[in-house]
Amino acid sequence: MPHFSPEWKHNYGQFSILPPHYFSSPSESICASPTFASCHESDTQGIIKGRDLFGYVGIEAVLDQMRRKTMKAGFEFNIMVVGQSGLGKSTLVNTLFKSKVSRKSCTPNYEEKISKTVHLQSVSHIIEEKGVKMKLTVIDTPGFGDQINNENCWEPIVQYVNEQYEKYLKEELNVNRKKRIPDSRVHCCVYFLPATGHWLRPIDVEFMRRLGKIVSIVPVIAKADTLTLEERLEFKQRIRQDLQANGIRVYPQKEYDEDAEDRILNDKIRENIPFAVVGTDKEHQVNGNKVLGRKTKWGIIEVENVAHCEFAHLRDLLIRSHLQDLKDVTHNIHYETYRVKRLNESNANGVVLSPLTLENGTLEKSDAESHL
């Protein structure tokens, strides 16, 4: 810093300020008083709370503004269901959203056949509840785990997930970007485990180990009413041991807990994983009330009764408590990891990003929308 004679200093009370144009950079324009000598080193931030304000400011109104904008624009949620045929994937999705949203339900004259290879199919709906609109996309994976030789049957699914990241990245890199980029990224993958009562199968371990690195996985025990309560508890414990032994990361991960409150909530969820669920779209009368349930010789299994199954816990996780967090983890963790990887590859090779090449026949997407 250059030397200044006293006449170039403008005195203001007990400290003096040097004219800014005598400094090589704005950061050098500091207070000459000892009291302010270190003001450029520490940027203290004071907290002014409601009791310290002179009156009402209206900061809280921003929540209403955000709510109005969200209700006008709506939002998107993309859920993938994976598991072998006959585990009730379509029924469970219908039960979750209380509507016919599955591929099987909305396709006329649909007849399920075992595919020779894994074909991804998606169907989208606009669901509206109390003025809030959500575009729900359900991605199904018919053919997964249905063959005698299931080697590499997860590859089309991995490819699909990465393809959606690639599409989003291309939109972000455009010079003239859209005001709102369409989001087709998979926010959650619900993986259906058959209620065998034993351990995870090799295909289960391999799939979740590979997919857990690129998408949030929530494992569920399908058709859990085929197990007794003791068998269910023992099966859940074995699955958790398998997940830990194989280093499989399922949602919600401990490292993503933001604070103590999140940790307490997520610990309760982690204790219940995998969720033992039962799905149905049929109502029955129980004590004068209509309930969703499966009727058997011995009585009615109430889907939303936590004493009968853990469907309510799964619903709360996917929709009522963690839907936005699933989207945030997808964008800030999984997509960001993919984006950094692709940009590093592009810089290393000195080439412009190009779309991932999908093999013919791996993706059949029908975005026929309906308004429920």
Side-chain angles (χ1 to χ4, degrees):
M1 184 184 299
H3 174 72
F4 296 95
S5 59
E7 59 268 25
W8 288 105
K9 297 182 180 181
H10 302 284
N11 293 316
Y12 293 94
Q14 56 183 328
F15 63 93
S16 57
I17 301 177
L18 299 174
H21 61 275
Y22 287 106
F23 297 89
S24 58
S25 67
S27 62
E28 290 185 19
S29 181
I30 61 172
C31 304
S33 167
T35 307
F36 295 87
S38 62
C39 64
H40 70 297
E41 295 177 0
S42 62
D43 185 16
T44 58
Q45 182 177 2
I47 299 176
I48 303 176
K49 296 186 177 180
R51 62 177 180 271
D52 300 322
L53 299 174
F54 300 139
Y56 177 71
V57 178
I59 297 173
E60 64 179 3
V62 71
L63 297 176
D64 293 329
Q65 298 171 34
M66 294 169 65
R67 177 180 173 82
R68 284 196 300 270
K69 292 193 73 172
T70 302
M71 289 183 70
K72 280 184 181 179
F75 61 98
E76 299 154 320
F77 186 60
N78 308 317
I79 183 170
M80 175 182 281
V81 289
V82 181
Q84 66 188 58
S85 301
L87 292 182
K89 301 187 296 294
S90 301
T91 303
L92 184 70
V93 172
N94 290 341
T95 311
L96 276 170
F97 296 99
K98 302 290 180 69
S99 53
K100 304 286 186 180
V101 295
S102 74
R103 166 182 63 94
K104 185 185 298 185
S105 303
C106 61
T107 305
N109 304 320
Y110 177 82
E111 188 176 329
E112 189 166 17
K113 298 178 182 178
I114 296 179
S115 305
K116 292 183 179 180
T117 56
V118 179
H119 290 261
L120 275 77
Q121 299 174 339
S122 68
V123 61
S124 298
H125 299 269
I126 304 296
I127 300 178
E128 186 172 348
E129 183 182 43
K130 294 184 179 180
V132 180
K133 295 179 181 179
M134 178 179 75
K135 181 183 178 182
L136 173 69
T137 300
V138 180
I139 304 108
D140 198 359
T141 56
F144 178 85
D146 293 332
Q147 311 303 317
I148 296 175
N149 181 6
N150 290 304
E151 186 178 2
N152 298 330
C153 63
W154 49 81
E155 286 185 353
I157 300 173
V158 172
Q159 197 171 25
Y160 177 87
V161 173
N162 286 331
E163 169 72 5
Q164 307 318 305
Y165 290 150
E166 186 78 4
K167 285 168 64 176
Y168 197 90
L169 179 59
K170 290 291 186 296
E171 291 289 344
E172 278 195 334
L173 294 176
N174 283 339
V175 176
N176 298 317
R177 292 194 295 183
K178 296 177 182 177
K179 185 177 180 181
R180 185 176 179 182
I181 299 176
D183 190 2
S184 61
R185 298 169 297 181
V186 179
H187 299 129
C188 178
C189 173
V190 180
Y191 187 71
F192 287 70
L193 298 165
T196 61
H198 302 299
W199 300 87
L200 289 177
R201 302 169 301 168
I203 187 175
D204 301 328
V205 172
E206 197 61 35
F207 176 86
M208 288 192 284
R209 185 160 52 192
R210 290 172 182 265
L211 266 291
K213 299 175 183 177
I214 60 175
V215 72
S216 296
I217 291 182
V218 177
V220 300
I221 301 172
K223 297 188 175 181
D225 53 326
T226 60
L227 298 172
T228 66
L229 294 178
E230 294 76 13
E231 289 172 341
R232 182 195 302 178
L233 182 61
E234 187 177 351
F235 189 34
K236 285 163 65 76
Q237 290 174 345
R238 286 176 178 173
I239 290 174
R240 284 195 289 268
Q241 291 172 12
D242 269 354
L243 292 174
Q244 186 174 4
N246 290 282
I248 296 171
R249 304 166 74 244
V250 297
Y251 181 86
Q253 292 93 331
K254 286 186 178 181
E255 57 267 31
Y256 301 156
D257 295 343
E258 295 183 356
D259 50 38
E261 186 179 352
D262 276 356
R263 193 174 303 111
I264 293 171
L265 175 62
N266 290 338
D267 279 344
K268 292 180 180 178
I269 295 171
R270 285 187 278 262
E271 289 172 3
N272 284 318
I273 284 179
F275 298 105
V277 298
V278 177
T280 184
D281 51 8
K282 294 181 180 179
E283 291 184 331
H284 300 278
Q285 289 281 346
V286 176
N287 298 326
N289 299 319
K290 282 188 176 182
V291 298
L292 284 171
R294 287 170 56 88
K295 191 173 183 179
T296 68
K297 289 181 181 180
W298 305 275
I300 295 175
I301 302 165
E302 299 175 34
V303 169
E304 297 179 296
N305 187 337
V306 292
H308 293 189
C309 75
E310 295 170 340
F311 169 83
H313 296 321
L314 175 66
R315 177 201 58 204
D316 291 349
L317 171 69
L318 295 181
I319 303 172
R320 301 186 181 181
S321 64
H322 284 68
L323 188 149
Q324 186 57 48
D325 188 64
L326 282 164
K327 297 183 67 174
D328 291 342
V329 169
T330 299
H331 182 77
N332 298 327
I333 306 297
H334 299 304
Y335 170 69
E336 188 64 17
T337 301
Y338 179 86
R339 188 186 70 86
V340 170
K341 176 185 173 184
R342 294 290 286 129
L343 292 178
N344 285 338
E345 289 175 355
S346 178
N347 292 336
N349 298 331
V351 296
V352 180
L353 286 176
S354 60
L356 293 176
T357 304
L358 289 174
E359 295 180 4
N360 293 332
T362 56
L363 176 62
E364 293 178 4
K365 183 170 181 179
S366 61
D367 274 329
E369 294 190 2
S370 66
H371 192 85
L372 300 182

